[in-house]
Amino acid sequence: MTARTRRPARPVPTDELGQLLFDVFAQDCPSRHALENVTGRWGLLALVALRDGTARFNALRRRVDGVSEKMLAQTLRTLERDGFIHRAAQPTIPPRVDYTLTPLGRETADQLFALIQQIEGRMPAVLLAQSQYDER
Amino acid sequence: MTARTRRPARPVPTDELGQLLFDVFAQDCPSRHALENVTGRWGLLALVALRDGTARFNALRRRVDGVSEKMLAQTLRTLERDGFIHRAAQPTIPPRVDYTLTPLGRETADQLFALIQQIEGRMPAVLLAQSQYDER
DNA sequence: CAGTATCCATTTGGATACTG
DNA sequence: CAGTATCCAAATGGATACTG
């Protein structure tokens, strides 16, 4: 990844007490990256799918309609790295890997689920707005 | 945008009563698209920025650090089309355009804000998980 | 000020083939 | 089964220039 140069990169901001601030509006702030992983196209669906309990790789792949092996593997690795999911690989043949939410992951997945519920419930309004916008 | 052909595209699903179902796990379901616009890199930040009240184009651009004119314009248009924000253009010179959240947009922005708060509050845990993952 | 248009670099993502 | 590796197509996104 190359550095962006549009603006002089801010240092990670600290407040008067010298504590780290995680301002998601600031470019390159760690919270922005974490948030993007979690709200990203596949991260969001994977986390919410895991609210139902442990799942194996191919089960997740079937649940999250349209994800490729590559992207699911990549997504799960990032979520594991950030501490949202736990990966348990049995050294058997054939291999078996179980993915589960960590406590942090569950908190986040619950937030995401609330968001999804809200959007799904309001879809009629969204579709209406779209058709009104389009006839012009 | 070309059609994806990985699987035969499902029809938009209906339940036994013939009502539309908005299952975000299903590829090409309208709720998935709406959700992606709202949780996308810039859509999320634009919506949350507008919780503070009406803002003009360049004010938003300054608030959402790192967004280009092109992407902000594109993002705002999509959010307007989906009914999350309202765009009020004064036909003056110089032009002045005010963006505000619709009631739907406010509900959604509040959900997103809760998510951001949760993630920002847990960033120490995320950074710890990352460093533990990386030393291996 | 609030955009649009164009061009180009980077990134994302999918299909396919392969491995332990 | 659970991936990785490779290759290539498509989407994303930024810099720049321009307009009413």
Side-chain angles (χ1 to χ4, degrees), chain A residues 12 15 37 59 77 79 90 96 101 109 116 118 123 134:
Chain A
V12 174
D15 66 14
N37 295 333
R77 230 181 299 122
L79 292 176
Q90 267 95 330
R96 176 191 172 106
L101 293 177
I116 289 177
Q118 192 249 321
M123 278 308 291
D134 289 342

Side-chain angles (χ1 to χ4, degrees), chain A residues 6 56-58 69 77 87 95 99:
Chain A
R6 279 197 56 270
R56 298 170 62 177
F57 187 85
N58 280 324
E69 289 184 355
R77 230 181 299 122
R87 178 179 186 279
Y99 292 94

Side-chain angles (χ1 to χ4, degrees), chain A residues 55-90:
Chain A
R56 298 170 62 177
F57 187 85
N58 280 324
L60 277 174
R61 185 151 145 61
R62 280 185 295 274
R63 182 80 200 278
V64 180
D65 196 20
V67 70
S68 66
E69 289 184 355
K70 177 177 146 182
M71 290 313 300
L72 183 58
Q74 201 175 101
T75 300
L76 292 173
R77 230 181 299 122
T78 305
L79 292 176
E80 186 196 0
R81 184 173 110 94
D82 287 357
F84 293 100
I85 65 181
H86 178 247
R87 178 179 186 279
Q90 267 95 330

Side-chain angles (χ1 to χ4, degrees), chain B residues 86-102:
Chain B
H86 178 247
R87 177 179 185 278
Q90 267 95 332
T92 57
I93 291 182
R96 176 189 173 106
V97 181
D98 289 310
Y99 292 93
T100 41
L101 292 177
T102 61

Side-chain angles (χ1 to χ4, degrees), chain A residues 2 10 24 30 65 75-76 86 90 92 97 105 123 126 132:
Chain A
T2 54
R10 305 184 175 184
V24 82
D65 196 20
T75 300
L76 292 173
H86 178 247
Q90 267 95 330
T92 57
V97 181
M123 278 308 291
V126 171
Q132 285 175 352

Side-chain angles (χ1 to χ4, degrees), chain B residues 6 56-58 69-70 73 77 87 94-97 99:
Chain B
R6 280 198 55 271
R56 297 170 63 177
F57 187 85
N58 280 323
E69 290 185 356
K70 175 177 147 181
R77 231 181 299 121
R87 177 179 185 278
R96 176 189 173 106
V97 181
Y99 292 93

